[in-house]
Amino acid sequence: DGGITQSPKYLFRKEGQNVTLSCEQNLNHDAMYWYRQDPGQGLRLIYYSQIVNDFQKGDIAEGYSVSREKKESFPLTVTSAQKNPTAFYLCASSLGGTTGELFFGEGSRLTVL
Amino acid sequence: GQQLNQSPQSMFIQEGEDVSMNCTSSSIFNTWLWYKQDPGEGPVLLIALYKAGELTSNGRLTAQFGITRKDSFLNISASIPSDVGIYFCAGHYGGSQGNLIFGKGTKLSVKP
């Protein structure tokens, strides 16, 4: 079945460690996104990529990094520079265009101990 | 920056009741969208609206794109227990694919 797969579902990290969240899609979508969700908050855009080997910062990119070497994959690294990394992270993809119709993965919950 | 004001923040529903929520902004949007998120999962698109004044239904859900392009509402008729979750409005103001803003959500719970 086509869809977006995020892994791991749950992740624990010690302070000062970098961690990479995986996002893979088999929908043949051009655009991919990473959002952060905190309790009671909407979704805030971290990074997005409209095409392979290109990506742009979103509203809260500080302390995060991404790569887009393949169309199917858009991993997110949460670095030690991110001051408050505990959150629910959502990956999404879209066909392209500018309609806002996103397909989301099931999310990854990161907890910093 | 652009912001969406979504209300109410939370509400309790009893099976069979109609539910209404809305989203407003001081900015104009080209597209309004409504998503639903179940606990521990990613949001799922319910309805997308592309034209001012557009009224669209998806089963028991009805949404409208406001005439001023600054607001949208979502109605759920005859609610059922599986309607519980968080509903997000989102507005896209064109240009880059990153130009999508989400409201903070309306949490639907079942009345005790």
Side-chain angles (χ1 to χ4, degrees):
Chain A
D1 286 353
I4 300 178
T5 302
Q6 289 187 238
S7 63
K9 180 75 173 175
Y10 299 96
L11 187 61
F12 298 87
R13 177 196 110 174
K14 292 182 179 179
E15 279 192 26
Q17 289 181 336
N18 292 353
V19 62
T20 297
L21 307 180
S22 170
C23 179
E24 302 278 332
Q25 56 100 358
N26 60 4
L27 298 167
N28 199 32
H29 285 173
D30 290 315
M32 297 187 74
Y33 312 76
W34 275 104
Y35 286 89
R36 170 179 172 141
Q37 185 177 21
D38 295 287
Q41 300 295 313
L43 280 62
R44 292 183 291 168
L45 183 63
I46 304 173
Y47 269 98
Y48 68 101
S49 168
Q50 299 181 98
I51 196 169
V52 173
N53 292 322
D54 185 53
F55 49 83
Q56 283 77 42
K57 292 182 179 180
D59 299 320
I60 56 166
E62 185 175 351
Y64 300 97
S65 66
V66 293
S67 63
R68 186 86 186 277
E69 297 177 0
K70 297 187 300 182
K71 187 176 184 177
E72 302 79 19
S73 179
F74 191 42
L76 173 74
T77 297
V78 184
T79 75
S80 56
Q82 168 52 233
K83 299 303 179 188
N84 185 20
T86 295
F88 190 53
Y89 291 89
L90 287 159
C91 180
S93 70
S94 69
L95 273 170
T98 55
T99 63
E101 294 187 27
L102 305 183
F103 291 80
F104 283 90
E106 293 192 344
S108 294
R109 185 168 299 282
L110 172 63
T111 303
V112 174
L113 304 173
Chain B
Q2 310 232 7
Q3 288 187 337
L4 296 183
N5 301 307
Q6 187 171 351
S7 65
Q9 288 185 343
S10 64
M11 58 193 311
F12 290 89
I13 59 173
Q14 198 156 38
E15 189 169 353
E17 286 181 340
D18 294 345
V19 171
S20 184
M21 61 192 77
N22 67 82
C23 216
T24 61
S25 175
S26 58
S27 304
I28 290 173
F29 290 96
N30 294 341
T31 306
W32 281 97
L33 308 105
W34 288 90
Y35 289 84
K36 183 195 178 193
Q37 184 179 31
D38 290 327
E41 297 186 8
V44 173
L45 179 65
L46 299 174
I47 292 178
L49 303 151
Y50 304 103
K51 187 177 176 182
E54 180 181 355
L55 185 71
T56 297
S57 294
N58 179 6
R60 294 177 296 105
L61 278 60
T62 301
Q64 186 160 29
F65 191 141
I67 288 292
T68 64
R69 295 171 61 193
K70 295 181 180 180
D71 63 336
S72 177
F73 72 75
L74 175 70
N75 287 341
I76 306 173
S77 62
S79 59
I80 60 178
S82 62
D83 288 335
V84 300
I86 303 176
Y87 292 78
F88 291 101
C89 64
H92 196 286
Y93 52 94
S96 164
Q97 286 157 324
N99 294 341
L100 181 67
I101 307 297
F102 282 86
K104 293 188 176 181
T106 294
K107 185 176 181 181
L108 253 57
S109 306
V110 177
K111 276 183 185 174

